[in-house]
Amino acid sequence: MSQEKTTNQSWGGRFSEPVDAFVARFTASVNFDQRLYKHDIQGSIAHASMLAQVGVLTTDERDTIIEGLRAIQSEIEAGEFDWQVELEDVHMNIEARLTQRIGITGKKLHTGRSRNDQVATDIRLWLREEIDIILSELERLQSGLLDQAEQHAEVIMPGFTHLQTAQPVTFGHHLLAWYEMLRRDTERLLDCRKRVNRMPLGSAALAGTTYPIDRSITCELLGFDAVSGNSLDGVSDRDFAIEFCAAAAVAMMHLSRFSEELVLWTSAQFNFIDLPDRFCTGSSIMPQKKNPDVPELVRGKSGRVYGHLMGLLTLMKSQPLAYNKDNQEDKEPLFDAVDTLRDSLRAFADMIPAIKPRVDMMREAALRGFSTATDLADYLVRKGLPFRDCHEIVGLAVKYGVDQGKDLAEMSLAELRQFSDQIEQDVFDVLTLEGSVNARDHIGGTAPAQVRAAVTRGRAQLQADNA
């Protein structure tokens, strides 16, 4: 181990020798937690304001501290701040710089708090802000899906089960299925945000503080809904980070499913949609290639977020109360999960409105695979036959179609009647693609009228979210 030594003046009084330089680097978090600087300063300003209100600081000391903190924020944002690894983290770097700027008054800022409740507060402030950004990207993506669904409410494509042609649906209806998934993601994040928005500041190291603090003041200043009810839990709780990663993992799973379909649909074998060139790349050796890199990359990134969820669960699973150094490892997975979800949503929100369906190719595909077979069975049921008998009749008709190379709608009335004398000329009304989708005219159905009604409901939901 290196013999170089370093000293941290924030806690070094108890120690008879300085920390080994390698250990200082190994245990430092400033390289990644410096992104919390704005929220650390925000929390410190609120804390100083509260200390002044309860008489622990004078108003002059408060004003000097706040002025110093705002000057430090300007330094950081101008790229002029000197981050020092030996000061461990964002909190001590800012506090040390504050003392350097304003003198001994800077050392009074930490009265009545610990880095334990300070960092827990910073993370919540940061995550709350990031959730709001993510929700705005979700709203933008959902809005784009609704616009596309409305525009293509009557475009017919095959619906699949087991990736086999099942029944005809509209492209708008399919896009609304994606919208419904994102609605649930929005609901999960909104619910998660409620538990993020609870303030641990005032818990101090683990037991609270002997100073006459008023947590309601800092709670209001920082925009939290409530204060944490137990100081031990306040400093050591990371449920909110795990809960966010769980919601993010589900959202990334949804985006991965969308991505898989986009990759399939852009392939020569499907050729259902066209993605603009700006969302694709080419090949270094095959000049004809147009690769759907954005969907592929989002599909791959889902694994990162799954891993972060499992990492945080494992991090917390054996920790005794209260705070442990293990919790330093919560930030990088949380930061990356937030960045990955936010950027993936942004990519999709930009890309989805630019998708162009190849209407003729979708329709041709829907005409293959006997997609209206269920409609024929339903037609016979309405003629009074038991469904199981109808199922067998249609199965025989499909077998005949496979042998003859004909879809049900391409058969003559005489050909169809060899399977049941209940079939009349009006059967062709239900064997057409339009007849099939229009017949499913109920809430949640694929009929164009229902697609438009769902778009209207969706826009009302987004408006309510914004309100």
Side-chain angles (χ1 to χ4, degrees), residues 277 280-291 293:
D277 291 351
C280 303
T281 63
S283 166
S284 63
I285 190 172
M286 296 169 285
Q288 85 282 7
K289 294 295 294 298
K290 180 179 175 179
N291 301 323
D293 276 19

Side-chain angles (χ1 to χ4, degrees), residues 220-323:
E220 182 177 356
L221 288 172
L222 293 172
F224 283 106
D225 293 331
V227 300
S228 58
N230 180 280
S231 59
L232 287 166
D233 182 59
V235 297
S236 61
D237 167 39
R238 294 299 183 270
D239 292 3
F240 66 94
I242 294 171
E243 185 176 355
F244 171 82
C245 286
V250 174
M252 287 301 297
M253 177 269 292
H254 288 152
L255 293 182
S256 183
R257 294 182 71 186
F258 304 171
S259 296
E260 177 71 7
E261 293 191 311
L262 291 172
V263 170
L264 287 172
W265 291 351
T266 56
S267 70
Q269 289 69 32
F270 277 76
N271 201 23
F272 281 3
I273 63 169
D274 179 61
L275 283 180
D277 291 351
R278 63 185 180 275
F279 298 105
C280 303
T281 63
S283 166
S284 63
I285 190 172
M286 296 169 285
Q288 85 282 7
K289 294 295 294 298
K290 180 179 175 179
N291 301 323
D293 276 19
V294 169
E296 289 179 347
L297 193 56
V298 169
R299 184 176 59 185
K301 284 179 179 292
S302 62
R304 296 170 71 115
V305 179
Y306 294 178
H308 296 325
L309 171 60
M310 293 310 300
L312 285 177
L313 285 167
T314 305
L315 174 71
M316 296 303 299
K317 76 176 182 65
S318 298
Q319 285 198 39
L321 290 172
Y323 182 85

Side-chain angles (χ1 to χ4, degrees), residues 305-411:
V305 179
Y306 294 178
H308 296 325
L309 171 60
M310 293 310 300
L312 285 177
L313 285 167
T314 305
L315 174 71
M316 296 303 299
K317 76 176 182 65
S318 298
Q319 285 198 39
L321 290 172
Y323 182 85
N324 300 277
K325 189 67 169 179
D326 311 46
N327 283 357
Q328 183 171 296
E329 292 296 304
D330 64 350
K331 295 169 195 64
E332 289 178 289
L334 178 61
F335 292 165
D336 190 70
V338 166
D339 293 345
T340 301
L341 177 58
R342 184 192 60 239
D343 292 350
S344 297
L345 286 169
R346 176 181 175 180
F348 263 65
D350 290 342
M351 180 175 62
I352 290 299
I355 291 174
K356 294 181 179 178
R358 298 183 183 275
V359 177
D360 292 342
M361 296 300 297
M362 286 184 170
R363 182 178 182 84
E364 180 184 333
L367 288 170
R368 300 193 301 267
F370 305 95
S371 64
T372 58
T374 304
D375 297 274
L376 179 56
D378 291 341
Y379 169 87
L380 292 170
V381 168
R382 289 192 293 272
K383 294 288 186 176
L385 298 178
F387 179 79
R388 283 301 167 203
D389 292 344
C390 299
H391 190 285
E392 182 177 359
I393 290 167
V394 176
L396 292 170
V398 168
K399 183 178 185 301
Y400 173 83
V402 171
D403 293 340
Q404 298 298 314
K406 289 183 177 182
D407 187 71
L408 294 172
E410 296 172 327
M411 297 180 192

